[in-house]
């Protein structure tokens, strides 16, 4: 590999590490604000998607009236949803954290149930599989029964993970040869 390529890889690792640390610290130390920022980004994306769909109605090569009507309805829904998020960012952030908690709980619960159903296909030592399945089921149920607290914990864990990854990438950046 050329030296120029290695320098670019090293810079990319350093930049990625720095961004990961900044975002991880933002999520960890300001979870409410970071959730509002993510909700705002989702809102902007919904409005932009709605506007692009709305513009596609006026293209001459659109298929037929039913397709145009579908694009019109979809674009209005996207724009209205984006505006509702912008109107109350606090409620949108709480909803985002609730969705994170509920979806994570569902994923863990399903994963635990699947592990229990394939237990008969495991080898002779099933202790770790049973333990892993039990932890997944208990964790999933706890998130489903308390999705807001669980969502905040998952959101904080995400911030911690980004922070740790960023630190390791910066260490890698500084230890790579110039």
């Amino acid at each position: 590999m050329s030296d120029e390529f290695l320098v670019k890889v090293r810079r990319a690792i350093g930049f990625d590490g720095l961004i990961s640390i900044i975002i991880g610290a933002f999520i960890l130390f300001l979870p409410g604000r970071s959730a509002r920022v993510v909700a705002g980004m989702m809102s902007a994306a919904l409005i932009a998607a709605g506007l692009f769909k709305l513009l596609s109605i006026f293209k001459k090569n659109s298929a037929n009236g039913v397709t145009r009507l579908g694009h019109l309805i979809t674009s209005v829904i996207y724009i209205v949803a984006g505006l509702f998020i912008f109107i109350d960012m606090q409620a949108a952030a709480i909803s985002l954290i609730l969705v994170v908690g509920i979806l994570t709980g569902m994923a863990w619960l399903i994963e635990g149930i699947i592990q229990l159903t394939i237990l008969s296909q495991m080898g002779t030592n099933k202790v770790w599989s049973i333990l892993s399945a039990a932890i997944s089921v208990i964790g999933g149920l706890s998130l489903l029964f308390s999705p807001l607290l669980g969502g905040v914990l998952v959101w904080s864990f995400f911030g911690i993970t980004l922070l740790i990854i960023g630190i390791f990438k910066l260490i890698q950046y500084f230890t790579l040869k110039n």
Side-chain angles (χ1 to χ4, degrees):
M1 283 189 238
S2 71
D3 289 337
E4 182 181 334
F5 177 73
L6 291 175
V7 167
K8 287 181 181 180
V9 168
R10 182 175 178 264
R11 285 183 187 155
I13 290 171
F15 182 73
D16 188 28
L18 188 62
I19 295 298
S20 294
I21 286 175
I22 291 169
I23 293 173
F26 184 55
I27 289 172
L28 186 60
F29 297 117
L30 300 168
R33 284 191 179 167
S34 61
R36 283 194 300 272
V37 167
V38 171
M41 291 169 35
M42 290 173 56
S43 174
L46 284 170
I47 291 172
L51 290 174
F52 282 119
K53 281 206 171 285
L54 189 62
L55 290 175
S56 73
I57 294 171
F58 300 108
K59 288 186 178 178
K60 291 181 181 179
N61 59 357
S62 285
N64 57 26
V66 174
T67 303
R68 288 177 187 222
L69 180 63
H71 281 289
L72 177 66
I73 293 170
T74 306
S75 65
V76 168
I77 290 172
Y78 281 0
I79 292 170
V80 169
L83 290 174
F84 273 122
I85 292 172
F86 266 136
I87 289 170
D88 193 356
M89 296 288 279
Q90 184 65 32
I94 291 170
S95 298
L96 174 68
I97 289 176
L98 277 171
V99 168
V100 166
I102 290 169
L103 292 180
T104 305
M106 287 171 45
W108 288 354
L109 182 63
I110 291 169
E111 179 184 351
I113 291 170
I114 290 172
Q115 285 179 350
L116 288 173
T117 58
I118 63 169
L119 202 56
S120 62
Q121 299 171 2
M122 297 292 184
T124 55
N125 188 2
K126 299 177 185 177
V127 174
W128 291 111
S129 298
I130 293 171
L131 184 63
S132 174
I135 290 171
S136 291
V137 168
I138 292 168
L141 287 173
S142 67
L143 281 175
L144 288 176
F145 285 116
S146 180
L148 186 60
L149 176 62
V152 169
L153 290 175
V154 170
W155 191 252
S156 297
F157 181 72
F158 179 59
I160 292 168
T161 303
L162 278 176
L163 200 59
I164 291 170
I165 288 171
I167 290 169
F168 277 102
K169 285 189 179 213
L170 280 183
I171 290 170
Q172 183 181 13
Y173 169 79
F174 286 115
T175 57
L176 284 175
K177 293 179 181 178
N178 288 333

